Amino acid sequence: MNVSEISDLKEKIDSKIEKGDFVTLGKMLKVDTNAARMRYHRQDSEAVVAMEKIIDSREKLITSHQNQ
């Protein structure tokens, strides 16, 4: 992904970030929570894409559970 695509993706998901998402991001990236947060805010492509996966997975899990 190029810089503008990463920026657009980050802008799209910023409002969807919830408590604990940076903890999960840190575990995914094998870094501590603060490092994960900084990588995300610096628009590191790996961090932004991983955060999108966290948000998408959470939303799908919630929807699936509510529809049971």
Side-chain angles (χ1 to χ4, degrees):
M1 294 184 107
N2 65 38
V3 176
S4 67
E5 290 173 329
I6 292 295
S7 181
D8 290 343
L9 178 58
K10 184 178 176 292
E11 202 172 294
K12 175 185 145 193
I13 64 176
D14 269 345
S15 63
K16 297 179 181 182
I17 295 174
E18 293 185 5
K19 185 177 181 178
D21 288 345
F22 286 108
V23 173
T24 305
L25 180 62
K27 290 179 181 181
M28 288 176 72
L29 301 176
K30 297 182 182 178
V31 298
D32 68 34
T33 303
N34 289 329
R37 182 178 283 113
M38 291 308 298
R39 285 179 63 176
Y40 176 79
H41 288 300
R42 290 183 181 139
Q43 297 185 12
D44 175 80
S45 62
E46 184 182 11
V48 175
V49 170
M51 183 61 82
E52 180 188 33
K53 289 178 184 177
I54 292 167
I55 292 167
D56 286 345
S57 296
R58 183 185 62 242
E59 289 175 349
K60 287 177 185 173
L61 179 65
I62 291 168
T63 300
S64 172
H65 183 74
Q66 289 175 344
N67 289 336
Q68 287 183 356

